[in-house]
Amino acid sequence: VQLQASGGGLVQAGGSLRLSCAVSGFTVASYTMGWFRQAPGREREVVSFLRPTNSNTINADSVKGRFTISRDNAKNTVYLQMNNLQTEDTAVYFCAAASRRKILSSLWAKDAYDYWGQGTQVTVSS
């Protein structure tokens, strides 16, 4: 199993980035796929996740209306489109996967996730 995150970089406030998470070893359509972020000195927090059964997406309040999670089943890849980036979005972003059996309420915690990518740095300048 491998999750390869990419797409991070340096962007000015108000700009956009799209993160990608290419997966091998399982099918993204069969797992809950999530994006987390971790800023220096802070806990890793969930940003957004996408359920496998009904493709329901859940976003943290801090990114609602700005970030969109999606997946491409043919490419077995999950994306995070990030618009109107702010300096507080600066963090290392991680993709992760959780078994479809995990209940919704558990998916806000990093312990619910079985597989993790290596992280990609996003830096937003003012």
Side-chain angles (χ1 to χ4, degrees):
V1 170
Q2 187 172 16
L3 288 73
Q4 184 71 38
S6 62
L10 174 64
V11 64
Q12 287 190 326
S16 298
L17 284 174
R18 188 177 78 157
L19 306 183
S20 299
C21 178
V23 173
S24 60
F26 65 88
T27 303
V28 296
S30 298
Y31 277 71
T32 291
M33 298 302 300
W35 284 97
F36 283 72
R37 66 186 180 187
Q38 188 166 17
R42 300 190 66 175
E43 293 289 320
R44 191 171 298 189
E45 62 177 3
V46 68
V47 173
S48 184
F49 55 87
L50 172 61
R51 301 278 274 168
T53 50
N54 55 7
S55 296
N56 189 28
T57 61
I58 307 293
N59 297 295
D61 287 343
S62 58
V63 304
K64 280 181 180 176
R66 301 188 298 123
F67 291 11
T68 303
I69 188 172
S70 63
R71 65 173 178 242
D72 184 328
N73 293 340
K75 295 182 178 180
N76 214 35
T77 298
V78 177
Y79 302 98
L80 185 69
Q81 178 66 43
M82 305 186 295
N83 298 328
N84 191 23
L85 283 159
Q86 304 299 312
T87 55
E88 54 265 33
D89 296 318
T90 294
V92 178
Y93 283 71
F94 300 87
C95 59
S99 165
R100 64 191 301 148
R101 294 187 298 273
K102 299 288 177 63
I103 62 174
L104 179 60
S105 60
S106 72
L107 294 169
W108 293 97
K110 59 183 184 295
D111 292 343
Y113 291 77
D114 305 297
Y115 304 114
W116 289 86
Q118 83 288 3
T120 185
Q121 176 72 47
V122 172
T123 303
V124 185
S125 63
S126 58

